[in-house]
Amino acid sequence: MNNVKNLRTFPGNRIIWHAVIVGIVWLLLLVLNNNIDPLYSSYLALVAMYATAMFGMTILVGLSGQVSLGNGALMAVGGYVFALTSMNWQTVPIIGWQWNAVWSMAFAGLGGILIGGIIGGLAARLRGPYLAGLTLGLAVGVPAITNRFPELLGGENGLMLSVPYPAGGYAALDSALGSSSDSSSDGTVDPNSAVEEDQYAELDLSEFEQGADLDADLAPEDLLTDDDLLTEEDFGVGDQLTDDDLLTEEDFGVGDQLTDGDLLTDEDFGTGTDLGIDGGDLGTDLEADLDVGVGTDLGTDPAVDLTGITDAFDSGFIIERWQASMAIAVACLVAFAALNLVRGRQGRVWKAVRDDPVAAAVVGISPSGSKISAFIVSSLFAALAGAVLAQILTLVAPGAFGLGLSLSLLVGIVLGGRSSLLGAILGALLLVWLPELVDGLSGDRGWPEQITNNAPNLLYGLLVVAVVLAAPGGLTGTVRAWIDKGRGKTRSPLS
Amino acid sequence: MLETVDLCVSFGAVKALSGMNLTVPRGEVTAVIGANGAGKSTLMRALAGLVTPQSGQVLFDGRSIAGNKPEDIVRNGLALVPEGRSTIPELTVEENLRLGGLWREKSDRGASKNLVFDLFPILGERASMRADTLSGGERQQLAIGRALMSDPKCLLLDEPSLGLAPLIVTQILELVSRLAKETNLAVLLVEQNAVTALRVATTGVVLNLGEVVKSGPAHEISSDEELRHAYLGY
Amino acid sequence: MTNFIDYLLGGFSNGAVIALMALALVLVWRSTRMVNFAQVGQAMFTTYVALTIQQSTGNWVLALLVAIGAGAILGVIVFFLVIRPVKNSDSTGAIIATFGVLIALQAGAGMIWGGDPRGFIPPVDNAGLEFAGRIWPISPYDILVLSATAALVIGLTLLFTKTSLGLSMRASAFNPEVARLSGVRVNRMLISGWAIAGATGAIGGVLIAPASTISPNSFDILLVFAFTAAVIGGLDSLIGAVTFGIGTGLVISLVSGYSDSGNAPIVALVLLALNLLLKPDGVFGHHGARSV
Ligand SMILES: Nc1ncnc2c1ncn2[C@@H]1O[C@H](COP(=O)(O)OP(=O)(O)O)[C@@H](O)[C@H]1O
Ligand SMILES: [Mg+2]
């Protein structure tokens, strides 16, 4: 204990200390990731992604006291920058090096910093409710921008990603498709036309399903009818498809295999199932598609010879694991940065301004500077999380970054503990775990879908109110208060 | 009329009033004087129900009112004009006055309004103007008028002189003291400005750091040089 | 030019509903100095209640009245259970709590009524009127919406300016301490504010529903529009809320007409951002319009 205290007083030592902690956690997570079922890896990826975004919420909402509903929109910025740069740039501008996903991440982060600076500059002048309202406008308005520029941003359908997976990614998939079906006419893939090809290579729906469950905004199955999904207009690929190709499971001949468990292990399908390329059915209404049960009626093209795909890949490559390790890496790097900021001078500056801007100004801290810096940091984190989400979904689309996502982030941070980084992690866990729990319960008890689909959000809403009223420090704050009480100390739940 | 017994008020560790004993009789002005931070406003706010005393009693008309809600206290006849010209600038003069007696029967309100307009004719002239167009002195008159609209038995005035020209202060306070005599009203006046306050008061009380250091007839206090130097700063 | 006029006319009834929602936000702001982000969620919920009544009885007026009552009650419940306990101790928490209520209401509505968009049959014809040889983008139903809004706004204005309750509510909003010292039961005034706001929002919800469909999330965008209008109007001003509510409706109608309705949220965002950039506390705030 004494040691820790001493370390805290020397920034250099503190950084080393933080690096050690984060490094150990990183290692443990990697070991975990490599030893669990890929289904759980995909959960892990989501938790890491949410945690990344919510570290930013801890700083913005918790430490700096600015309630933001806009971080989902900031994630959209990161996701779209990631998608656009990775799709359109082969080399790094000016330097001329080979482009890769790390560069896309860097540019996504840069985009986040820029936008964060702009919005933060505006936000710093605003009091609580005005800021919440403005960021609410962002959450609703930014996704709408994608419709403004359909050619560039793909409109409602969004952009399919060609994520440069280490084991070959698109090129391999494409040759597999090319050899096994007539869908790919010339054997090369233009990333922009990915939408038109991808419905043949069905895929990893598990993420969508989870993503959707988490997403407060999604109003699931109700919107989805076969008609919605399976018309040619939706796919925009009428020339290559007939209704027969798409519509029924019999046609696919794989319907019986596409159940939850099956789909998610590569024993069954090989990596082909896991390509993580969404079907073109993301078509008109992402909300609808996101919640489709795994493999139920999303068009897996029968013509795709699954063994062909399997052959095309190194069978050791499991996309969920890759996605999880990528998400974990980003989350750990962000956690390291956040730890140093929060527990260093900057953290005290943010809290000082939150608690008393006038007093802070008196001791030479600029309140607006502090608020803007919190916005920039949180926006950077959000953008990185958005880039990670883009890679998990292999897609960016307005529906994935809607108000529901922003609300989820707020829910997570409040439940986990508004001003604690650990709270952000717990909140992220809760966001991924609770819908699964409800799903499991509902499966056991045979609840109607209407109940199952809404139960997580009902719980979130009620829990948020309950936490604000009874335990404003959230999970971590409350536990910490208990511990302090045991030791005979007192402190504010929000400190 | 109004009496406090061992009244104590604290804000956390700060003891703003410690064991205050005070009697405010009808028909005259009682002045509490003390320097800034002596606890005068705290006394007034405790009497009006805006802060809850830690211990001690407030007796009004023989009944204990400590801990009652301010809206009930005013309805019982104890009206406070708080520090700093407490009018609502967004409302008209007439609305500010009406507000003071909304809970009363309509017919009773008319009489009070006539009384206020007699006392402060300027308010009648400005009735339909917004309160923020009034001068400082006029606003203080409006604040007192609003309190009188509740037909109080006891009127509490917290530093009415603050920021006003001495001539206007004297005018207003003389009106109030005349009113006290004519209508048998109990008035508790709290002031930093001891000279003016003691001139209209019958009894004076000197407050310092939450404690009464001296009380007695107003003229005795204003002539006590030692007291003046020690606590009143002139 | 014909287009312009058509778009403009088409925006009025939407604008009226935005105005009602903005009014509801302003009423809450005036009573409690906070923005109730659950307001449209409450309106959505009571609109579902109205829909249920209408479908079972076929009586639109009854449905509206029940919605008004339910809106008032829901407003009071939210105030008592959520806002009052937290308002003074944790202002950030109060904002967050309203979002919690919004999420819970939307999920609750989804549970009870399902997520399918539902139609709400208007009590009068909703097709454009034919007049002077052409069809105008104003229907009998639009006229009903506009008159109902006008009646409500006039009613609220009279309530606030002419009645004792109105004066008490205004005084409580402007200066609760002076109001209490004047004998006003300020707490009751806050409750009245939330009840009237809830009822106003409920009316807005029932009025807008036939224009499109209703689903648990269908009013989200209305929240953004209403907030924009309320903020530009100064958050404090009934007149401001109505003026800019209708103004927002017109702008959105023009934008939708000339480009695409998908752009409306962007326009609202730009309006809001510009307004907050120029006037972080709203255009009319702390000026003349505050008095009504
Ligand atoms: N709301 C409050 N919280 C904490 N301390 C207060 C509060 N109100 C007054 N005090 C303290 O109580 C003491 C008396 O203040 P006050 O009654 O306003 O004095 P006066 O009116 O005589 O100038 C001062 O030390 C002041 O700082
Ligand atoms: Mg004072």
Side-chain angles (χ1 to χ4, degrees):
Chain A
M1 199 58 217
N2 241 341
N3 255 345
V4 177
K5 271 195 184 135
N6 286 340
L7 286 170
R8 275 186 192 167
T9 53
F10 300 105
N13 286 339
R14 191 174 55 218
I15 288 175
I16 294 167
W17 184 240
H18 291 161
V20 168
I21 295 175
V22 172
I24 292 172
V25 171
W26 192 342
L27 264 176
L28 289 177
L29 286 175
L30 285 185
V31 171
L32 181 72
N33 182 32
N34 281 321
N35 289 289
I36 51 178
D37 190 285
L39 172 64
Y40 293 107
S41 288
S42 64
Y43 293 159
L44 204 54
L46 283 172
V47 172
M49 180 276 296
Y50 275 123
T52 306
M54 279 159 50
F55 290 142
M57 293 288 281
T58 304
I59 288 169
L60 188 62
V61 182
L63 269 61
S64 153
Q66 306 183 75
V67 179
S68 166
L69 268 293
N71 280 36
L74 298 173
M75 285 176 69
V77 171
Y80 274 91
V81 170
F82 182 92
L84 289 172
T85 51
S86 63
M87 286 162 69
N88 297 321
W89 289 354
Q90 269 76 47
T91 56
V92 182
I94 304 167
I95 314 176
W97 295 343
Q98 177 69 33
W99 190 264
N100 63 34
V102 177
W103 284 104
S104 290
M105 291 291 293
F107 272 76
L110 217 58
I113 290 174
L114 264 173
I115 300 287
I118 294 169
I119 299 170
L122 183 52
R125 301 153 43 97
L126 304 179
R127 285 186 295 137
Y130 291 98
L131 174 64
L134 176 70
T135 52
L136 178 76
L138 278 180
V140 175
V142 166
I145 291 175
T146 55
N147 290 325
R148 189 76 204 81
F149 306 99
E151 295 83 25
L152 181 65
L153 302 178
E156 283 286 340
N157 301 350
L159 300 169
M160 302 303 301
L161 273 180
S162 58
V163 179
Y165 291 123
Y170 264 72
L173 164 64
D174 185 58
S175 63
L177 287 170
S179 66
S180 60
S181 81
D182 59 351
S183 64
S184 199
S185 47
D186 58 8
T188 61
V189 174
D190 168 5
N192 287 310
S193 69
V195 177
E196 298 180 5
E197 319 234 357
D198 290 334
Q199 72 279 6
Y200 298 108
E202 161 34 5
L203 318 129
D204 190 354
L205 297 166
S206 60
E207 285 90 348
F208 289 122
E209 193 191 27
Q210 293 143 18
D213 284 341
L214 298 169
D215 198 333
D217 201 20
L218 301 184
E221 78 300 335
D222 318 310
L223 295 169
L224 183 64
T225 66
D226 282 0
D227 294 330
D228 291 331
L229 273 175
L230 298 172
T231 59
E232 296 166 4
E233 294 82 31
D234 291 336
F235 296 128
V237 289
D239 47 342
Q240 293 170 10
L241 289 175
T242 66
D243 284 357
D244 291 337
D245 289 328
L246 282 169
L247 273 172
T248 64
E249 292 186 340
E250 299 88 84
D251 287 332
F252 303 152
V254 289
D256 49 344
Q257 295 171 18
L258 292 173
T259 58
D260 215 330
D262 293 336
L263 201 91
L264 293 166
T265 60
D266 61 328
E267 291 85 42
D268 291 319
F269 289 91
T271 42
T273 32
D274 296 322
L275 288 172
I277 302 158
D278 173 54
D281 46 59
L282 276 153
T284 39
D285 201 335
L286 189 72
E287 282 96 330
D289 299 297
L290 286 178
D291 212 28
V292 171
V294 173
T296 46
D297 53 358
L298 286 166
T300 305
D301 186 66
V304 176
D305 178 350
L306 292 169
T307 56
I309 296 179
T310 313
D311 291 347
F313 278 95
D314 168 8
S315 59
F317 178 71
I318 299 170
I319 189 125
E320 285 90 349
R321 288 210 176 125
W322 183 86
Q323 286 172 335
S325 57
M326 176 270 305
I328 289 167
V330 175
C332 286
L333 291 175
V334 164
F336 177 65
L339 262 178
N340 287 313
L341 286 169
V342 168
R343 303 178 64 177
R345 197 192 97 86
Q346 191 58 44
R348 290 193 295 277
V349 166
W350 284 326
K351 280 190 206 169
V353 171
R354 173 195 69 184
D355 293 339
D356 192 342
V358 177
V362 169
V363 297
I365 300 169
S366 148
S368 61
S370 151
K371 287 180 169 181
I372 294 173
S373 67
F375 228 105
I376 289 176
V377 170
S378 108
S379 178
L380 165 65
F381 293 177
L384 292 175
V388 170
L389 181 60
Q391 292 175 80
I392 293 178
L393 298 178
T394 62
L395 158 111
V396 286
F401 295 101
L403 179 59
L405 179 64
S406 290
L407 285 174
S408 296
L409 296 179
L410 189 66
V411 166
I413 197 73
V414 171
L415 299 188
R418 248 185 268 173
S419 354
S420 127
L421 293 172
L422 187 61
I425 298 172
L426 293 178
L429 275 168
L430 206 63
L431 285 181
V432 176
W433 171 72
L434 191 70
E436 293 306 318
L437 175 79
V438 170
D439 223 36
L441 281 179
S442 121
D444 294 344
R445 321 233 154 128
W447 292 342
E449 233 176 314
Q450 205 161 302
I451 303 283
T452 316
N453 287 327
N454 289 297
N457 280 338
L458 185 63
L459 278 175
Y460 287 143
L462 296 177
L463 281 174
V464 162
V465 172
V467 162
V468 167
L469 292 185
L475 218 51
T476 46
T478 309
V479 170
R480 209 178 287 171
W482 283 341
I483 294 171
D484 286 353
K485 208 170 163 192
R487 288 195 199 142
K489 285 195 286 181
T490 54
R491 67 169 128 182
S492 136
L494 294 179
S495 69
Chain B
M1 179 81 253
L2 178 68
E3 202 182 339
T4 68
V5 184
D6 287 334
L7 192 66
C8 294
V9 179
S10 317
F11 301 101
V14 181
K15 234 174 173 202
L17 277 186
S18 28
M20 175 100 188
N21 288 299
L22 178 75
T23 311
V24 184
R26 293 197 104 151
E28 60 184 56
V29 175
T30 306
V32 172
I33 48 185
N36 198 2
K40 306 181 299 291
S41 295
T42 304
L43 167 68
M44 297 301 240
R45 296 172 66 82
L47 294 176
L50 289 170
V51 299
T52 312
Q54 199 180 24
S55 65
Q57 281 203 321
V58 179
L59 298 172
F60 182 60
D61 247 357
R63 273 180 303 156
S64 168
I65 58 163
N68 288 7
K69 290 185 199 152
E71 52 266 40
D72 291 326
I73 289 176
V74 68
R75 287 169 189 227
N76 282 332
L78 181 61
L80 167 66
V81 179
E83 204 170 329
R85 294 194 276 295
S86 59
T87 55
I88 299 184
E90 293 88 351
L91 303 180
T92 64
V93 169
E94 199 268 339
E95 284 170 334
N96 266 288
L97 288 178
R98 195 147 62 90
L99 183 68
L102 271 185
W103 48 274
R104 298 175 64 202
E105 295 289 330
K106 245 197 177 114
S107 49
D108 299 344
R109 272 189 250 162
S112 294
K113 197 153 144 187
N114 290 338
L115 173 81
V116 171
F117 283 162
D118 280 350
L119 214 53
F120 307 116
I122 188 77
L123 298 182
E125 289 163 30
R126 303 277 159 91
S128 60
M129 293 173 70
R130 272 172 59 123
D132 54 6
T133 62
L134 299 183
S135 72
E138 289 160 356
R139 248 185 277 176
Q140 191 57 268
Q141 295 176 28
L142 177 57
I144 296 171
R146 181 186 51 71
L148 290 177
M149 286 297 290
S150 67
D151 191 23
K153 293 175 224 158
C154 177
L155 184 67
L156 309 174
L157 296 174
D158 193 349
E159 293 208 45
S161 73
L162 206 69
L164 295 184
L167 192 64
I168 296 169
V169 175
T170 310
Q171 265 174 17
I172 293 179
L173 290 184
E174 264 158 17
L175 272 177
V176 169
S177 103
R178 212 185 69 210
L179 188 74
K181 285 187 193 100
E182 285 171 7
T183 63
N184 202 24
L185 179 71
V187 175
L188 177 60
L189 169 68
V190 143
E191 269 295 349
Q192 250 185 96
N193 180 348
V195 183
T196 325
L198 291 173
R199 199 181 305 150
V200 295
T202 310
T203 312
V205 176
V206 181
L207 195 63
N208 187 49
L209 298 177
E211 293 188 55
V212 176
V213 287
K214 171 95 189 173
S215 66
H219 59 89
E220 266 177 35
I221 291 187
S222 53
S223 57
D224 187 334
E225 222 156 284
E226 222 171 287
L227 208 61
R228 269 180 12 203
H229 289 310
Y231 302 111
L232 305 175
Y234 68 97
Chain C
M1 197 57 211
T2 328
N3 274 352
F4 180 81
I5 289 169
D6 278 4
Y7 296 150
L8 212 56
L9 286 176
F12 270 104
S13 84
N14 245 339
V17 173
I18 294 171
L20 288 182
M21 292 297 177
L23 265 181
L25 293 178
V26 166
L27 287 166
V28 162
W29 175 263
R30 289 169 65 126
S31 83
T32 337
R33 296 285 131 185
M34 62 175 293
V35 174
N36 178 14
F37 288 102
Q39 196 77 58
V40 298
Q42 293 167 225
M44 175 275 300
F45 203 89
T46 53
T47 305
Y48 266 116
V49 172
L51 179 68
T52 310
I53 302 278
Q54 198 205 22
Q55 283 176 343
S56 57
T57 66
N59 188 336
W60 184 82
V61 175
L62 179 68
L64 179 66
L65 291 177
V66 171
I68 293 173
I73 293 169
L74 195 53
V76 173
I77 291 175
V78 171
F79 174 72
F80 262 107
L81 292 187
V82 182
I83 305 305
R84 209 166 76 133
V86 75
K87 191 191 159 258
N88 295 321
S89 57
D90 180 3
S91 60
T92 305
I95 296 173
I96 294 172
T98 63
F99 281 106
V101 173
L102 176 67
I103 296 170
L105 282 173
Q106 290 184 338
M111 264 192 189
I112 301 172
W113 293 287
D116 284 321
R118 304 244 217 134
F120 200 122
I121 302 159
V124 295
D125 194 12
N126 200 9
L129 281 173
E130 213 178 319
F131 177 72
R134 59 175 292 226
I135 292 175
W136 297 82
I138 289 252
S139 69
Y141 182 68
D142 290 331
I143 292 170
L144 174 72
V145 169
L146 287 170
S147 356
T149 305
L152 186 67
V153 170
I154 291 170
L156 283 175
T157 310
L158 290 178
L159 171 77
F160 276 103
T161 51
K162 301 285 178 220
T163 69
S164 297
L165 175 67
L167 178 57
S168 301
M169 287 177 70
R170 285 156 66 207
S172 305
F174 295 141
N175 193 333
E177 188 169 298
V178 168
R180 295 188 80 185
L181 289 173
S182 305
V184 174
R185 302 209 184 278
V186 170
N187 248 328
R188 286 189 201 166
M189 296 308 121
L190 300 192
I191 297 166
S192 311
W194 278 75
I196 296 173
T200 305
I203 295 172
V206 172
L207 291 180
I208 189 90
S212 59
T213 53
I214 168 168
S215 70
N217 299 94
S218 60
F219 287 1
D220 284 357
I221 188 72
L222 203 53
L223 174 59
V224 176
F225 294 152
F227 181 79
T228 304
V231 166
I232 298 178
L235 263 188
D236 239 345
S237 153
L238 300 182
I239 295 170
V242 173
T243 313
F244 288 102
I246 291 177
T248 306
L250 297 183
V251 169
I252 287 165
S253 182
L254 288 173
V255 170
S256 304
Y258 281 112
S259 63
D260 181 305
S261 65
N263 291 332
I266 308 172
V267 173
L269 177 60
V270 170
L271 286 177
L272 184 60
L274 277 181
N275 180 259
L276 290 175
L277 186 68
L278 300 173
K279 264 267 165 158
D281 277 337
V283 165
F284 277 3
H286 314 298
H287 293 289
R290 199 184 161 192
S291 58
V292 176

